Amino acid sequence: MIAKDLRSGVEALGNLIAEASAIVPFTGAGISTESGIPDFRSPGGLWTRNRPIPFDEFVASPDARDEAWRRRFAMEPTFAAAKPGRGHRALASLYRAGKVPAIVTQNIDNLHQMSGFKSDHVIELHGNTTYARCIGCGRAYELPWVKQRFDENGGAPDCTDCGDPIKTATISFGQAMPEDAMRRATELAQHCDLFLAIGSSLVVWPAAGFPMMAKNRGARLVIINNEPTEQDDIADLVIRHDIGETLGPFVGN
C-alpha cells in the first residue's frame, strides 16, 4: 500500500510499530541528507562529480590512493559537522525502547552510533569512513594520523606494521563484503517481524536483498523513500515523503 499522504502514512507506520516486537531498520543515504551529507547516486551526488575508485585500482596505483585520500580529506568538514537527524534519533528512540535489537546500514557516516546505538548494534555493510584500516593486517588508524603523514610525505601512507596500503574503513567497488556484517544482517532479517527500509534506492546488491528476505520470512515490510524502488510492490506500506518528517513524530517515543 502506498500512503496517500504523509499523515496517513505516519499513522499506518505507527500502528505497525506498535504491533511489532522485533523491528529491523535498514538505512541508506537518504536518512543522512538531512544531516548535510550528500548521497552518491542522485543528480548532483558525489558520484556524478567524481568517478568512484574501484578497490583493485586503489591497491594497484599509488596515484589512485593519493586521489582517494584527497577526496576523503576534502569531505572531512562535512562529516565532522554532521549531527544525527530526526530519522536517526527516531530509530534510536525505538532502540532504547527495546523495539529494535540492532540496525543494518549502508551508510558510512557513524551517525547511528552518534544517535545512541551501541557500536556493536550497528551492522555496517559498507564500512565506516570516520577511521582507517590497513588493507593487509587490518590495523586501525585515526584519520588525523593519516592526514599528518599524507601532508609530510606528499602521498598516502602505508601501514607501519606490515607496509600494506591504508584505506578508509569502507567497502569499495570490487572489495569483498564484510562476512560478519552480512551474516548478522541475514540473521536479523530472518527473525524480525517488521523491516523498515529507509532512504535506500534498493539497487545495490547483495544489501538490497534483505528487505525481500525479511518479507519472505513473514515480516511486514515498510519502505520510506522519496523515490520509487523496485521493491515497492511487495511492501506492506510505502511512504514517499521526507524521512525526517515521516519519522519525526517517533523521536520522543
Side-chain angles (χ1 to χ4, degrees):
M1 180 190 79
I2 300 175
K4 66 178 186 295
D5 53 39
L6 178 60
R7 181 176 178 178
S8 63
V10 170
E11 182 178 351
L13 176 60
N15 291 335
L16 289 172
I17 288 174
E19 295 168 2
S21 58
I23 303 170
V24 172
F26 171 85
T27 60
I31 198 172
S32 292
T33 55
E34 183 178 71
S35 301
I37 296 178
D39 67 10
F40 294 89
R41 291 176 179 77
S42 297
L46 295 177
W47 289 345
T48 64
R49 301 195 299 272
N50 290 306
R51 176 186 66 85
I53 298 173
F55 182 67
D56 59 354
E57 185 178 336
F58 181 94
V59 173
S61 169
D63 289 341
R65 294 196 289 276
D66 291 349
E67 175 61 19
W69 277 110
R70 276 192 290 268
R71 293 181 187 180
R72 178 59 186 85
F73 297 143
M75 286 293 296
E76 179 57 22
T78 298
F79 283 112
K83 305 296 181 190
R86 288 171 291 179
H88 301 98
R89 300 199 305 273
L91 297 178
S93 293
L94 295 174
Y95 170 69
R96 286 190 294 271
K99 287 271 193 177
V100 171
I103 188 167
V104 181
T105 185
Q106 296 174 289
N107 296 340
I108 58 175
D109 50 39
N110 210 56
L111 290 177
H112 288 304
Q113 291 90 326
M114 291 175 63
S115 72
F117 279 86
K118 292 181 180 178
S119 293
D120 58 354
H121 291 160
V122 181
I123 316 303
E124 294 175 316
L125 300 179
H126 296 158
N128 191 309
T129 194
T130 63
Y131 65 99
R133 281 197 185 278
C134 168
I135 64 172
C137 69
R139 177 177 172 176
Y141 289 88
E142 298 296 323
L143 295 189
W145 183 93
V146 180
K147 180 69 163 63
Q148 181 180 349
R149 297 305 186 279
F150 186 95
D151 291 341
E152 290 174 352
N153 301 327
D158 294 326
C159 179
T160 58
D161 283 354
C162 73
D164 279 348
I166 296 171
K167 179 181 176 295
T168 56
T170 54
I171 305 300
S172 300
F173 282 108
Q175 190 172 3
M177 294 291 284
E179 291 183 8
D180 184 62
M182 291 296 292
R183 176 187 58 78
R184 293 179 65 194
T186 298
E187 292 174 354
L188 287 164
Q190 291 177 338
H191 294 97
C192 67
D193 53 12
L194 178 60
F195 192 97
L196 307 178
I198 303 168
S200 175
S201 56
L202 300 180
V203 297
V204 178
W205 292 80
F210 291 120
M212 195 176 302
M213 183 185 298
K215 178 69 176 177
N216 289 339
R217 291 296 288 261
R220 299 282 188 88
L221 173 61
V222 176
I223 297 176
I224 306 171
N225 198 55
N226 274 331
E227 302 296 329
T229 79
E230 293 181 358
Q231 298 187 36
D232 287 358
D233 58 344
I234 68 168
D236 296 274
L237 175 64
V238 177
I239 303 176
R240 292 179 186 159
H241 292 277
D242 178 81
I243 292 168
E245 292 182 1
T246 301
L247 294 181
F250 304 99
V251 168
N253 289 3

